[in-house]
Each structure stands twice: as C-alpha cells, then as structure tokens.
Amino acid sequence: MTEPILTLANVEAAYGAVKAIRGVSLSVPKGAIVTVLGANGAGKSTILKTISGILDPQKGSITFKGENIERRDPADIVRRGLSHAPEGREVFPLLSVRNNLLMGAYTRSDKDEVARDIERMERYFPILKERADQDAGLLSGGQQQMLSISRALMSRPDLLLLDEPSLGLSPKLTKEIFAIVRRINREEGVTILLVEQNAALALATADYGYILELGRIVMEDRAAVLAEKDDVKEFYLGQKEAGVRGERRWKKKKMWR
Amino acid sequence: MQFVQLVISGLAQGCIYGLIALGFVLIYKATETVNFAQGELLMIGGFAGLFAATTLGFPYWAVILVAMAVTAVIGFLNERIILRPILGQSAVAIVMVTIGFGYMARGLVTMIPVIGTDTHSLPVPFRGEVFRFAGLVISAEHIVIITVTILLCGALAALFRYTKIGIAMQAMSQNQLAAYYMGIPVKRLSSLIWAISAAVAAIAGILLAPLTFIHANMGFIGIKAFPAAVIGGFTSLPGAIVGGLIIGVVESLAGFYLMEGFKDAAPFMVVLAMLVLKPNGLFGERLAKKV
C-alpha cells in the first residue's frame, strides 16, 4: 500500500451528549477508493463531517497530507485539498447549475482554469451543460447528485469525501454514477473516501473497505476479501445461508469472523 | 394632476421605506434573524452625515460616503461583537438583542451634548429647488431620492448577480451547510452583509434628512419599513423595494383622501390584507427540497 493521504487515529465525535463515533481509526492510501460500510446511524456520515471540519472531534487526531487538520475551519480544509460531496446532495436550489459549480471553486482564484474545469465536469456529466442556466432546484435527484459530485471536484481536491451518492436514485442511475466515480478516480488521480449503504456496489467499486457498527470499526480488509466474508455476505450483501435443518443464521450472534 | 403629484411624493417616500426594508431582507436572508435596529442605523447614518457636512464641511457626495462608512463599521461590529456570540439561541433572544441595540443607540445619541434631543437640518445643495414639468411640481429632494435608490438597487443587483462574493452570499442564504462544505467563509460574509445593510440604511437616512430633519427618534421610520419587507415576502430584495413603494404611495394617498389618522395606519392595513390574501408576500420564495 502507498503512503496514506488521510489518517484518523482514535477519533471520537458526538452530537451533544450522544456519542456518534467512538474511537475510529482508519487510513486512506493515496489514489485509492476506500469505502466505509455500515447501517443507518452507525456513524458513517459523522466520520466524514468530522474530517471536513463541520464537526469538531472530542478526541483523536486527523492527519491529511502529513498535517493535523482536526478543529480547523472548514474553509481552510477545503483549501488544503479536501472536498466533501454531502449526503442528500445539498445543492444551492436557486442558483443556476453553472453558479453552483462556480461556488465549488470558491476557494480558487484562477478564473481561466476554473472555466476549463467547468467544461471538464460537463464532459463527465453532459446533462450539466444542457441545464447550465437552470436553477439547480429544478434538477431531478440524480442530476442533483451529479451536480453535487462535480461541485465538490471543482475545488480540485486531492481527496474527495463522497457521502451516499446512491441515496434515492434508481439502481440504473446509481450504477452510472459509480462508473463515473471510478473514472474520475482513475483519470484525475483523486483519492476517494466513499460512504455507502449499497454495500455490493461499494465493495465492487472500492479497493479497501471498513465496516462500522455503532460508532466502531469492527472489520477492515481489501474490498474483494470483505465481499467474501460470511458475515458481510449475510448482513450487508443479503445472501443467506441455510443450515442442515434449515436453521437460519439469524439465530446466532454476529461474530465478525 | 393632484393624484399624480401625490403618487410621486409617495414613491419618493416609498424609496426610503424600500431601502430600509432592503436592510431587513438582506440580514434575514443571510442570517435568518430580523434586525429591528435597522431604523437606528439609519439615524446613526443621518448623524454621521450631519457631522461630516457641518463640522467637517464635506460636500454632499462625501457626506453620503462618510455616513455609509461609519454605519457599515457599526453594522459589522454589531454582528461581530453582539450577535455572533448569541448565534444559535432562539430567534426571540436575537430579536430582543437587536431591539436593545436600537434603544441603546437612541439613548447614546441623546446623551451627546451638542446634538442631544434637538432637531437638525442637513445642508444639501438642492434644498428647496423644484422642477415644473407638465403641470407637476416635483421637488429636487424627491428626484434625488428616486435616482439614488435606482442607482443603489442597480449596484446591489450587479453585486449579487455577477460577482463571486455576491453569488456566494446568495448561496449561503440558500444552504448554509453546503456553503461551509464549499469553503465559503460564511461568518465573514455574514459580517459583510450586516455592513452592507447598515450602509444602505445610512443612505436612506441621508436621503430622508431633507424631508424630516435629523433627530434621535428618526429611526422609528423602521417600524413602517417593516410592513414593506413583509409585503415583499421578506426573502426578496426586489420585493422589499416594491413593498416600500406600495407603502409609500398608499400612505401618501391615504393622508390626502382619507380622514386624519389614516395615514400612519394605512401601511399596516395593507400588511394585514396581504397576510390574509397572500401570506408569502408578493415575491416570497417557497422551496421544497427534492428527495
């Protein structure tokens, strides 16, 4: 594995009194796609919010490109080359598609390069060019997701945090978006930390995976290996195995073997 | 002819209401709070202008700039020192703080020895001049008010539509969380918006000075500008100006054609009618998030 671009060591974060993540350690190698899988409320989004500085961690350290970034201003973290495409798209509904993209490049001042990057994004997602002058709020859910990803890429990040890109999208559209995410990773050399509920697709896309339960990492391995583990198969990929007497595994305790 | 005359003077007065309402809307959109001290910022702008004109002997255009600069700084500091620490508290708490600021500002101004509770007139180059045009008599003051308002609205529209910082201000009012994700300096832009709306109030104060003179209580005009913002929908900048014009004209006509006392009540009757018929105002934005 190459050297990590991002490392979390024992990070704890909470919403008020409710602890959302309890000592998470993970590392993201440069150029890779790393995924964090977990059920609703496991703390996946909280990890991303803590990394991008929206939430301050109570304990632990976050290292990005060799420097500590915990408790820093979100704007400062974007400027260091870390960008976040949040859960639920969060586009600016009354700004045009093009202005949304422009806002993604807020921290940059090289106008010509920004214009060229907008064109590049429009090549990845041609619909954004067609709808360039429309309000982003008028786009469909899938188009908003494409906009959200492109907007996050407009800051020319080294690391992209991608939160639930499949949320509310049709399986076909989800596949399309994941294919482009892979392309962006390969062609632009952007490292990606992906949080996803669709475990099958995430494991097929990622190089490495972590499994998060109730705020703790319970398992980590290469994505291909994870996809073959019995517990992962049963709890995340929905493949059941029947015992000799038809006894279902749900009667047993999760072991995380 | 008299009707047209009344409409014109109503429009001029309405521009003032519109400018104050613009301040309400700017701050509301950016920070979701209502700054009830908007009228007091107008008053401070008036006095700053008065000081520049009489004590320093500045020309009219410089008086406007001084008034804008002084109130912009006060607005900026107001956000920074008084409001930011209580951000996240209930809306009522924040509104009370702005009302308190207004009272303090009024009190402090009356405590200044020479100014005190007196009424002052701002020397303007076009004092008392009138233009006669097709049987109408239009005072220069009204023409200046309308012209400056148009120019100011054009400048603000250009700022919000074409500059990166203006688009970012729109963005943060539409989705503050996403603005943080983009690295937009939300807090700094909030302070800047307070400064802009305070400067707009100062311009309104300078424009209003020839009509009502400058005194510690001139800020109460803010109470009449509030209906203007409501009529416009409270989230629309053009709406604030249109709301202001409606209030101004209604007031002007009511003052002439209706019984004594209707003049001051008329704006609020318009608001009541508006809230019943079109609760979101003329230009109110309604957003439904797509899932």
Side-chain angles (χ1 to χ4, degrees):
Chain A
M1 241 172 17
T2 52
E3 62 171 308
I5 188 169
L6 177 82
T7 316
L8 272 67
N10 286 315
V11 173
E12 294 189 9
Y15 298 102
V18 187
K19 210 165 246 181
I21 49 177
R22 310 152 185 261
V24 167
S25 299
L26 57 80
S27 78
V28 180
K30 204 170 176 192
I33 301 182
V34 171
T35 184
V36 176
L37 301 178
N40 270 335
K44 304 182 302 280
S45 297
T46 311
I47 293 181
L48 297 195
K49 279 182 195 160
T50 313
I51 296 171
S52 60
I54 302 292
L55 209 64
D56 283 343
Q58 293 176 317
K59 280 188 197 154
S61 68
I62 304 171
T63 318
F64 177 60
K65 293 200 282 191
E67 283 176 88
N68 276 356
I69 55 163
E70 73 266 9
R71 279 178 212 88
R72 282 195 183 279
D73 196 52
D76 179 47
I77 292 173
V78 173
R79 231 170 263 126
R80 286 161 185 264
L82 198 157
S83 187
H84 189 157
E87 184 180 9
R89 277 94 65 168
E90 306 285 351
V91 297
F92 301 116
L94 299 175
L95 292 187
S96 70
V97 169
R98 181 149 299 150
N99 278 345
N100 263 274
L101 290 175
L102 216 55
M103 284 301 105
Y106 186 86
T107 52
R108 295 170 54 186
S109 50
D110 41 346
K111 257 191 179 167
D112 298 342
E113 286 291 299
V114 169
R116 218 165 297 152
D117 281 0
I118 288 184
E119 278 173 30
R120 218 156 41 101
M121 292 308 141
E122 289 172 345
R123 271 203 299 283
Y124 280 119
F125 301 106
I127 189 75
L128 299 183
K129 184 167 193 165
E130 256 171 65
R131 303 276 172 104
D133 297 318
Q134 270 184 30
D135 283 358
L138 300 175
L139 299 181
S140 74
Q143 292 162 354
Q144 286 188 3
Q145 185 61 58
M146 295 175 190
L147 177 58
S148 173
I149 295 174
S150 313
R151 188 181 61 173
L153 288 169
M154 284 300 296
S155 65
R156 284 214 178 156
D158 298 313
L159 173 64
L160 172 68
L161 309 181
L162 201 50
D163 198 347
E164 297 269 4
S166 73
L167 190 78
L169 303 189
S170 71
K172 180 170 173 280
L173 204 53
T174 308
K175 255 187 201 148
E176 271 177 49
I177 288 184
F178 270 76
I180 297 179
V181 166
R182 234 174 337 219
R183 249 182 77 199
I184 289 168
N185 169 254
R186 250 183 288 123
E187 292 172 16
E188 319 264 325
V190 181
T191 310
I192 294 172
L193 178 56
L194 168 71
V195 155
E196 192 37 76
Q197 293 227 21
N198 185 337
L201 201 49
L203 287 177
T205 309
D207 304 307
Y208 203 83
Y210 289 85
I211 290 177
L212 190 71
E213 283 213 345
L214 300 174
R216 286 196 179 83
I217 303 262
V218 292
M219 189 179 263
E220 61 166 284
D221 214 322
R222 285 188 294 114
V225 177
L226 275 185
E228 289 307 314
K229 301 231 179 188
D230 287 344
D231 276 335
V232 176
K233 269 190 190 165
E234 179 169 355
F235 297 118
Y236 289 98
L237 303 176
Q239 304 164 0
K240 290 196 190 80
E241 83 183 61
V244 190
R245 294 175 299 157
E247 176 201 12
R248 290 277 202 72
R249 266 207 12 109
W250 54 262
K251 287 194 172 172
K252 296 189 212 157
K253 215 166 177 292
K254 262 192 241 180
M255 297 293 288
W256 294 116
R257 298 148 295 186
Chain B
M1 214 27 85
Q2 187 156 45
F3 181 79
V4 180
Q5 192 84 53
L6 286 168
V7 168
I8 289 172
S9 73
L11 285 177
Q13 184 70 29
C15 284
I16 306 278
Y17 294 143
L19 289 180
I20 304 169
L22 209 57
F24 281 125
V25 173
L26 276 171
I27 288 175
Y28 180 75
K29 283 186 74 153
T31 56
E32 306 221 324
T33 49
V34 179
N35 174 27
F36 278 102
Q38 204 61 31
E40 274 66 36
L41 289 170
L42 170 147
M43 180 264 295
I44 292 170
F47 276 107
L50 182 70
F51 177 75
T54 53
T55 312
L56 303 177
F58 281 9
Y60 188 65
W61 61 267
V63 166
I64 293 185
L65 290 184
V66 168
M68 282 173 72
V70 168
T71 45
V73 169
I74 290 174
F76 186 88
L77 294 177
N78 193 359
E79 199 272 343
R80 229 19 213 279
I81 298 170
I82 303 178
L83 279 139
R84 199 175 290 178
I86 61 159
L87 222 62
Q89 302 289 331
S90 75
V92 177
I94 296 174
V95 165
M96 289 311 291
V97 165
T98 66
I99 292 176
F101 174 81
Y103 268 90
M104 272 173 49
R106 262 202 313 278
L108 287 176
V109 164
T110 51
M111 269 150 59
I112 301 172
V114 197
I115 296 172
T117 48
D118 291 347
T119 302
H120 310 264
S121 76
L122 180 76
V124 292
F126 43 81
R127 156 133 270 145
E129 278 180 46
V130 290
F131 295 95
R132 281 166 220 285
F133 174 75
L136 296 171
V137 183
I138 305 171
S139 77
E141 282 126 14
H142 288 166
I143 292 174
V144 169
I145 288 173
I146 292 171
T147 315
V148 171
T149 303
I150 291 172
L151 291 177
L152 188 63
C153 290
L156 284 175
L159 171 75
F160 284 112
R161 199 160 304 165
Y162 301 117
T163 69
K164 188 164 116 178
I165 211 163
I167 297 171
M169 284 169 178
Q170 286 190 58
M172 66 177 251
S173 90
Q174 290 169 25
N175 189 337
Q176 198 176 58
L177 183 64
Y180 274 115
Y181 283 128
M182 296 304 107
I184 294 171
V186 173
K187 288 175 183 158
R188 203 185 319 150
L189 291 190
S190 296
S191 308
L192 199 57
I193 285 179
W194 275 78
I196 292 176
S197 69
V200 170
I203 294 177
I206 298 293
L207 293 176
L208 184 64
L211 304 183
T212 64
F213 303 109
I214 295 171
H215 52 93
N217 287 331
M218 73 189 291
F220 283 127
I221 193 175
I223 294 172
K224 270 197 208 155
F226 193 73
V230 174
I231 288 174
F234 231 99
T235 48
S236 157
L237 298 178
I241 295 291
V242 172
L245 295 178
I246 291 174
I247 295 284
V249 171
V250 165
E251 198 188 51
S252 166
L253 295 177
F256 187 80
Y257 291 112
L258 297 179
M259 282 167 284
E260 176 79 32
F262 265 100
K263 183 171 185 273
D264 289 328
F268 295 94
M269 293 179 194
V270 177
V271 167
L272 281 180
M274 195 60 170
L275 290 177
V276 171
L277 297 174
K278 211 168 178 298
N280 282 312
L282 288 177
F283 300 91
E285 288 162 357
R286 286 188 61 188
L287 284 181
K289 190 175 168 175
K290 221 171 234 169
V291 182

